Amino acid sequence: MKNIAVLEGDGVSDEILSSAIKVLDKVSKVYNIDFKYTYLPIGGRAYELEGVPLPDYTIEGCLESDAVLLGAVGDWKYDKLDPSLRPERALLGIRKKLNLFANLRPAKIFNELLFSSPLKEEIVKDVDIMIVRELTGDVYFGEPRGITTKTIQGKEVRVGFNNMIYNELEIERIAHIAFQAAKKRNNKVCLVDKANVLDVSRLFREVTIEVSKNYPEVDLSFMYVDNCAMQLVSNPRQFDVILTGNIFGDILSDETSTICGSLGMLPSASLSDSKTPYMYEPIHGSAPDIAGKNIVNPIATILSAAMMLEYSFSETKAANSIYNAVQQALKEGYRTKDIYRENDKLVSTVEMTDVIVKAII
């Protein structure tokens, strides 16, 4: 029995999770894998129920599971809440509680969707990038942090500050993840940093070089983050595995999603030190403006479920069947609104899910 904690959040969360569960239920029948789902609230939904975005029982339920599948959190109606109570705080909290230090974000374009990219087809054809992003350090977690006041030029003004910080143990473990990922791909790692101006980046580079000695078959290169942002839109095929810190990875992974045509296409996996379960989620947000309209693209969440089968349960064959089913649906011309063009078969969230479920064999 595979125990999955399903984190129900905000916006389109219910719709995309429902799609993923339908797919997993089909996989269960075809490949004889038993799943047990435990539904737990997070984000705005948890705030409405418990007054906090991440209740203790949600954390406990995740820790007792074999894997965690998350929808999305956030809604504009919570924007005026105290920062500690806003839905987005639950994401940082669950990552910390589960020790999810490594975020894997594959950006692989389906050739059937080359037209969806804002870049020319000859630039994005066959793009297949894995961004390995450190997830529990950097400015998002560094201390001290806050907003204070300071007298400047005789005037009291507000000052905001966050501390960008990494220690070498944190860098070592994420670097190992990147090199191990590269060994399963094309043996190339590009460390993206800002070592020309940031001491943190210089340490990141030094430690990564030390770790690279354990992987002589993997080619290690370096690129400053501003150049990488430019290279991703001019020559994305040069990249295999991109290793980077939390804030740079947050930005670059969203850029790669646009290259691939839609945020609604890209999954992610967040890995721990194996003592706690891994978590899987689409990289898009909660999209409250389209919630309940049955138009959201479910593919990112469905592919996140496929990553769960591969990384948490070692069910590679079942995972590949999901990927193949998604590709088959796209080959047959089925499209949700975000990837639709004239003469395609425009379908709803539920219809796209049903087409994918039918194609799983």
Side-chain angles (χ1 to χ4, degrees), residues 179-296:
F179 284 107
Q180 289 163 10
K183 285 180 65 177
K184 297 177 181 179
R185 295 168 53 89
N186 295 310
N187 283 320
K188 295 195 301 180
V189 171
C190 179
L191 173 62
V192 174
D193 59 24
K194 197 65 177 170
N196 54 336
V197 293
L198 295 177
D199 293 327
V200 170
S201 285
R202 283 193 280 274
L203 178 63
F204 217 114
R205 186 173 290 202
E206 289 175 7
V207 175
T208 300
I209 291 172
E210 293 168 5
V211 172
S212 72
K213 296 174 183 177
N214 297 294
Y215 304 91
E217 69 276 32
V218 178
D219 177 56
L220 174 63
S221 61
F222 307 95
M223 192 174 289
Y224 295 143
V225 64
D226 44 352
N227 184 31
C228 182
M230 179 181 68
Q231 294 293 329
L232 278 171
V233 296
S234 60
N235 183 22
R237 284 199 300 268
Q238 70 182 284
F239 297 105
D240 180 24
V241 173
I242 292 176
L243 167 63
T244 191
N246 205 343
I247 190 167
F248 296 158
D250 193 0
I251 296 166
L252 294 176
S253 58
D254 279 357
E255 183 181 10
T256 58
S257 71
T258 301
I259 292 171
C260 292
S262 171
L263 278 170
M265 294 298 299
L266 300 189
S268 75
S270 297
L271 312 185
S272 71
D273 57 5
S274 79
K275 296 178 182 178
T276 51
Y278 299 170
M279 186 169 77
Y280 305 86
E281 61 182 306
I283 76 164
H284 62 72
S286 57
D289 55 323
I290 62 171
K293 296 182 179 180
N294 196 24
I295 61 173
V296 63

Side-chain angles (χ1 to χ4, degrees), residues 91-100 133 135-136 281:
L91 282 180
L92 300 181
I94 197 67
R95 290 169 183 169
K96 204 69 173 179
K97 292 293 183 180
L98 298 183
N99 193 29
L100 302 172
R133 167 192 172 194
L135 206 57
T136 57
E281 61 182 306

Side-chain angles (χ1 to χ4, degrees), residues 89 92 138-148 160-163:
R89 294 299 298 180
L92 300 181
D138 217 325
V139 294
Y140 294 155
F141 292 97
E143 298 289 348
R145 60 191 294 145
I147 299 175
T148 187
F161 56 98
N162 292 85
N163 190 16

Side-chain angles (χ1 to χ4, degrees), residues 11 16 31 45 138 141 171 185 252 292 316 345:
I16 55 178
Y31 292 93
R45 178 175 305 210
D138 217 325
F141 292 97
I171 300 168
R185 295 168 53 89
L252 294 176
T316 303
K345 301 172 184 176

